[in-house]
Amino acid sequence: MQNLWSDKDARAAVKHYAKQGANADVALRTYTTRLLGGEPRLVQHGGGNTSVKTTVTDRVGNKIDVLCVKGSGWDMATIEPAGLPAVRLEVLLQLAGLDTLADEDMVNIQRANLIDSAAPTPSVEALLHAFIPHKFIDHTHANAVLALCDRPGGLRLCRDVFGARAPVVPYVMPGFALAKNAKDVFEANPDCEGLILHKHGIFTFGRTAREAYDRMIALVSLAERQLRKAGAKRPAPARLPKDLASATEIAPILRGLAAAPLDRDEGRWTHVVLDHRSGRNILDYVNGRALARYSQQGPVTPDHVIRTKPRPLILPAPEHGRLDDFTAAARTAMDQYQAAYHAYFKRHTAQAHPKKKPLDPMPRVLLVPGVGLFGLGATAKDASIVADIAETCASVVLDVESGGRFESLDERDQFDMEYWSLEQAKLGKRVDKALQGQVAVITGAAGTIGAATAAAFKRQGAEVVLLDLDGDAARAAAKKLGGLGLPCDVTQKKSVAAAFDAVVAAYGGLDILVSNAGAAWTGRIGEVGDDILRKSFELNFFGAQNVAQAAVRIMRAQCNGGTLLFNVSKQAVNPGPNFGPYGLPKAAALALMRQYAVDYGADGITSNAVNADRIRSGLLTGDMVKLRSKARGVSERDYMAGNLLGREVRADDVADAFVSLALARKTTGAVLTVDGGNIAAAMR
Ligand code: ZN
């Protein structure tokens, strides 16, 4: 592993963080923490932690010895001095004299001794950092070290490889007991450079930030050399069907299976987002003949269990053209997984933890031979974290299996970790938003109404996909929202298919379609050319039909309903002079909305429309407003607010109407009018 220390960068960090009031110790601590955190083979997503022992001066001038240790919720790759809360060291050191310390007491004492009362809670491994006397301490879950530990005989192998440089601490759950054990092992080997935590990771330490970091890289490199010596045998592959179904074909099926019904009768589900991975390592891993053995052992380091659960779900390899068989087999596998999870919970709570409540039994990682793995999460970000960890797990297991057999923690230890309150606290108390886990696709999304609609769905927690004829504009608008932007010509079935495939590849499926793309053509109906009329029908009617058809196909594969929303114009209800070329296809789109309501109600798919009028947008530009208000002899404001309520209707009002229809699970075939009141356009 490459050592990335740079004197120049270190000096720059000291200068940079001095401006924020951080001393050189904390600045260098921040610098090397980022070096470690930026290397996924060392740490991932909240795994690992670092510390420095230094002094701070309080408000009245007292100098206090403190431990600045990584705070919960900070990512090492992007940490700032604020992510290294300072705790009074003296109090922490006194705790070493206790025989036992309850988790709640440990957290309370740490929090009560923070220098900044608003600082994040110190890492669950803070006491270990306190008990080792070195100034700088680094802790990672390095893949190479795990690959040496996580096997029968791993303890002995680590002793042979690391010798006196890094003695081995036998496995014990993180927290007070581990901190005490590590202290004992260190005191018996006071000259060591680090400690190997069996089946967990590695600590290194030193007088300077550089020394601790150098030692981390050196010891991990030692482990890597040992692994290379053992060779790189790939697991023997299982026999797979010749013609496999693709990830985009099966993702909606899996996404539907993984959605937990909150209330099936009410049409409410807990939706999840899927993150698919299929790199070389992952395919070797999922295609292995011994997958059922090595994938069901448990995590490669205890911390992973809160994200991935102890075991992934193995699904059958999907055969092309036989998706019904795959769906049935996947459903059975899912049911068995959940039953096994309940049994696991029961096994470990019968006596020891009678008060624990079971966590949800859904798997977080799905393994599909021939196709790859899927990470599941309540958001796209969660799903990608799970997939990253699953990828790490696959690569460690492959390293072990190239010369040995993967062995995880005992199941009992896995359970203790999964149900440890301090670990669950890492996930935080999430406030579920109304559309969390749902994927909303909006067409014509670079325009005023489309962009406002995407933003409104994002605010409700949905993942948003912005489709637009102008792909660059779609990407730019999506970037602002943290969504996905794609080019899509809704009049072209091929373009629609490509865009919807990309949606499925990114999130696993979709739940909400807002068909919003449209454009206005004019002409007196008795004289207008067919070409104009057909062009308008292509976009304003067939465009809606093309995307609705693509959406319904995916929704039906998910088997948990869905939402179709159409932007129809006032013209569909209340035709204006010379607006036939626009109004006729919009009237057809209104009928289309009703037809979808009729044909797919039984699938739980709602189909509704919003009828909006007089909104500043690409269809009603500032220049048009000027001309029209002038022609009527009213001010622009009065023109825009020329409705029963006397209020201008804005894109955000239309967006809110789409959201409210998506939330209404018992409304279908309806039109919601958003025009400030225009009795001539009232539905009748
Ligand atoms: Zn750890």
Side-chain angles (χ1 to χ4, degrees), residues 648-671:
E648 179 175 344
V649 183
R650 298 176 202 280
D652 283 341
D653 300 315
V654 183
D656 289 346
F658 280 126
V659 167
S660 67
L661 285 171
L663 293 172
R665 298 320 299 152
K666 295 178 188 175
T667 298
T668 194
V671 179

Side-chain angles (χ1 to χ4, degrees), residues 47-49 125 139-141 174 197 200 203 301 303:
N49 38 65
E125 280 155 337
H139 169 47
T140 71
H141 302 151
L197 268 48
H200 174 161
F203 273 81
T301 183
D303 189 53

